[in-house]
Amino acid sequence: MEYNEKHIKIIEAAEKLFSDNGFNGTSVRDIAEAADVNLAMISYYFGSKDNLLVAIFKYRGENTRQLVSEMIENKELSPLEKFYTLIDFYIDKFQNQQCFHRVMAREQIIHTHGPVATAILSVKKTNMELIKQLVQEGQRKKQFKKEIDISLMMNTLFGTVNHLYTTKHYYKELNNLQSLSDEQFEKQLRKKLSVYLKTLFKAILTYED
Amino acid sequence: MEYNEKHIKIIEAAEKLFSDNGFNGTSVRDIAEAADVNLAMISYYFGSKDNLLVAIFKYRGENTRQLVSEMIENKELSPLEKFYTLIDFYIDKFQNQQCFHRVMAREQIIHTHGPVATAILSVKKTNMELIKQLVQEGQRKKQFKKEIDISLMMNTLFGTVNHLYTTKHYYKELNNLQSLSDEQFEKQLRKKLSVYLKTLFKAILTYED
DNA sequence: TTGATTTAAACAAACGTTTAATTAACAGGA
DNA sequence: TCCTGTTAATTAAACGTTTGTTTAAATCAA
């Protein structure tokens, strides 16, 4: 699917509104106004509001694979270093596309079947494969431990990052960080999370119990 | 707030529908039909649909504190054993109240302010305090390591359990477990998650890097 | 008889989508 | 360069539903 400027304007406006108010909490009229296009253009371009949601997932789901797989095939880094890079990659992804990930976090709960679920599943499958490769490389080189449940481990990675970024307003409150500016807070959060996750995953990957 | 049978019938019907279709994806008429009450009774009892959502959070947020704090004050168990009990407690909670936790997972993303956010924050504060006590006890007894970011650690606990249970249909697919019956799957998931999290948190709490 | 509960009906507002008319873009032929 | 035929893009208006909430009458319990 090719998207022109107007498609993208609509997609990004919808993404922001879905993120703030949810899919059903956003009207097509809201989107049209935010994207500064006529109401009917949304049906004309995407067919329906549901299809627009699917378009958002397709639009955002394209680039990831190549980036991650290039990084994994990098010969310079040890498996653990690669994993550290992967962690920072996902943190950056959540940080830079917070609207999208909020939409995804909400919609993946409801859509167990249908086109949205299919789009999400395909991204998850890709992630799973790539991480599996990386873990197996680490195990071959005896740098990771033998018994690693990759699926649950991914759940911890995405679950932690996802939960933290989608509910960061609670994190801010619980840690009395309300005085920080948004930028300061985001910067600090990112740094802390990065250090924390690297320690955590070093333990998961190497700690024999 | 006192809830009679009819209140609870409405609350539980709403919880199930919100879980399946989202808050804005569920009409008051749907709820009335599912709860087998007249449409107007919902306004009569709760005032509005928004208040009904708040009522769900209050209804479910009541019991937790006492259960957890009794468990933490139990003198028989070591801090690590207590933490293991806590993990199983939360797994059971998510497993037994999946509808509620799906609603919560979705709504906590959107509600950054207002009565829903307040209700959620109060539950989180309680959890945080109790876990903090437990971690500090473990540190005093030299069984846990010194530097532990409790807030991020909680994020991992809730993030992992939450993400896994709210997106278990993807987990099932990704691990080719479609042939399992729902009961078998749930049973297996619970067991695996319990073992996994105990290993994981033993590492987080004791592993010095 | 009084006040709480329950009901069917009605309310205006908002919803996603479609329609039919209008404008813009652009091709090929003079 | 201009005219013309055709398709694509854009618009305001309207469509029929559905929405959350309210009303006013009816039923119930005490």
Side-chain angles (χ1 to χ4, degrees):
Chain A
M1 176 72 190
E2 290 287 320
Y3 299 123
N4 63 31
E5 283 177 33
K6 219 156 208 173
H7 281 115
I8 291 171
K9 228 168 121 190
I10 294 171
I11 285 179
E12 292 184 346
E15 190 180 70
K16 169 81 174 102
L17 287 165
F18 290 166
S19 161
D20 289 342
N21 314 313
F23 178 77
N24 284 304
T26 304
S27 74
V28 184
R29 283 168 183 80
D30 294 338
I31 300 168
E33 194 185 359
D36 196 30
V37 300
N38 186 278
L39 170 63
M41 289 307 290
I42 291 169
S43 290
Y44 180 72
Y45 272 155
F46 297 97
S48 70
K49 192 188 173 190
D50 287 279
N51 274 344
L52 172 56
L53 180 63
V54 178
I56 292 176
F57 284 103
K58 289 186 176 160
Y59 175 64
R60 293 292 184 197
E62 278 171 5
N63 306 318
T64 309
R65 191 196 179 101
Q66 212 191 343
L67 282 169
V68 176
S69 93
E70 274 172 19
M71 190 272 300
I72 284 180
E73 280 158 19
N74 182 336
K75 307 276 181 195
E76 310 266 314
L77 301 173
S78 75
L80 189 59
E81 285 168 332
K82 285 184 190 175
F83 212 98
Y84 286 170
T85 312
L86 194 72
I87 287 170
D88 282 326
F89 172 78
Y90 281 119
I91 293 177
D92 285 349
K93 201 166 174 315
F94 270 82
Q95 174 113 10
N96 296 328
Q97 302 182 351
Q98 289 190 45
C99 286
F100 171 67
H101 283 98
R102 289 166 104 83
V103 176
M104 170 131 154
R106 291 174 55 81
E107 298 308 323
Q108 70 184 346
I109 297 175
I110 286 196
H111 294 87
T112 57
H113 300 287
V116 172
T118 307
I120 292 175
L121 190 63
S122 121
V123 175
K124 283 182 189 283
K125 269 197 177 129
T126 304
N127 281 325
M128 179 97 157
E129 272 173 43
L130 294 167
I131 293 179
K132 199 176 213 164
Q133 274 180 42
L134 178 49
V135 170
Q136 287 171 346
E137 185 201 342
Q139 286 172 324
R140 253 185 284 109
K141 295 184 176 167
K142 312 274 181 200
Q143 291 170 22
F144 293 172
K145 68 177 180 184
K146 279 182 192 163
E147 298 294 329
I148 294 172
D149 188 321
I150 296 173
S151 202
L152 287 180
M153 193 190 70
M154 277 177 57
N155 237 280
T156 294
L157 178 55
F158 295 127
T160 302
V161 179
N162 192 53
H163 192 259
L164 187 58
Y165 273 105
T166 55
T167 64
K168 61 178 179 175
H169 43 289
Y170 296 111
Y171 179 88
K172 206 171 180 178
E173 194 98 14
L174 286 168
N175 292 279
N176 296 310
L177 300 172
Q178 299 96 331
S179 61
L180 290 183
S181 74
D182 279 356
E183 294 145 53
Q184 284 177 307
F185 174 66
E186 296 268 320
K187 204 176 161 188
Q188 178 185 316
L189 187 64
R190 179 184 182 153
K191 183 71 198 140
K192 271 199 147 187
L193 182 59
S194 173
V195 171
Y196 167 77
L197 282 178
K198 285 170 188 170
T199 312
L200 173 61
F201 277 90
K202 189 182 172 196
I204 294 183
L205 293 166
T206 68
Y207 178 70
E208 302 276 357
D209 45 343
Chain B
M1 178 71 189
E2 290 287 321
Y3 300 122
N4 64 33
E5 284 177 33
K6 219 157 207 171
H7 280 115
I8 292 172
K9 229 168 121 189
I10 294 169
I11 285 179
E12 292 183 345
E15 191 179 69
K16 170 82 173 102
L17 287 164
F18 290 165
S19 161
D20 289 342
N21 314 312
F23 178 77
N24 284 305
T26 304
S27 76
V28 185
R29 282 168 183 81
D30 294 337
I31 300 168
E33 195 185 357
D36 195 30
V37 301
N38 186 277
L39 169 63
M41 290 306 290
I42 291 169
S43 290
Y44 180 72
Y45 272 154
F46 297 96
S48 69
K49 190 188 174 192
D50 286 278
N51 273 344
L52 172 55
L53 180 62
V54 178
I56 292 176
F57 284 104
K58 290 188 174 160
Y59 175 64
R60 293 291 183 198
E62 278 171 5
N63 306 319
T64 309
R65 190 195 181 102
Q66 211 190 344
L67 283 169
V68 176
S69 93
E70 273 172 21
M71 190 272 300
I72 284 181
E73 280 159 19
N74 183 335
K75 307 278 181 193
E76 310 266 317
L77 301 173
S78 75
L80 190 58
E81 285 168 333
K82 286 184 190 175
F83 212 97
Y84 287 170
T85 313
L86 195 72
I87 286 171
D88 283 326
F89 172 78
Y90 281 119
I91 293 177
D92 285 350
K93 201 167 174 313
F94 271 81
Q95 173 114 11
N96 296 328
Q97 302 182 350
Q98 289 190 44
C99 285
F100 171 67
H101 283 97
R102 289 167 104 84
V103 176
M104 170 129 155
R106 290 175 56 81
E107 297 309 322
Q108 69 183 347
I109 297 174
I110 285 197
H111 293 87
T112 57
H113 300 287
V116 173
T118 306
I120 292 175
L121 190 63
S122 120
V123 176
K124 284 183 188 281
K125 271 197 176 130
T126 304
N127 281 325
M128 178 97 158
E129 273 173 43
L130 294 167
I131 293 179
K132 199 176 214 167
Q133 273 181 43
L134 178 48
V135 170
Q136 287 171 345
E137 185 200 340
Q139 287 172 325
R140 252 184 284 111
K141 294 185 177 168
K142 311 276 181 199
Q143 292 170 21
F144 293 171
K145 68 176 180 184
K146 279 181 191 165
E147 298 294 327
I148 294 173
D149 188 319
I150 296 173
S151 202
L152 288 180
M153 194 190 70
M154 277 176 57
N155 238 282
T156 295
L157 179 55
F158 295 126
T160 302
V161 180
N162 192 52
H163 192 259
L164 187 58
Y165 273 105
T166 54
T167 63
K168 61 178 179 174
H169 43 288
Y170 296 111
Y171 178 88
K172 207 171 180 178
E173 194 99 13
L174 287 168
N175 292 279
N176 296 310
L177 300 172
Q178 297 97 330
S179 62
L180 289 183
S181 75
D182 278 358
E183 293 145 53
Q184 284 177 307
F185 173 66
E186 296 268 320
K187 204 175 161 187
Q188 178 185 316
L189 187 64
R190 180 185 181 150
K191 183 71 198 142
K192 271 200 147 186
L193 182 59
S194 174
V195 172
Y196 167 77
L197 283 178
K198 285 171 189 169
T199 312
L200 173 61
F201 277 90
K202 188 182 173 196
I204 294 183
L205 293 166
T206 66
Y207 178 70
E208 301 276 357
D209 46 344

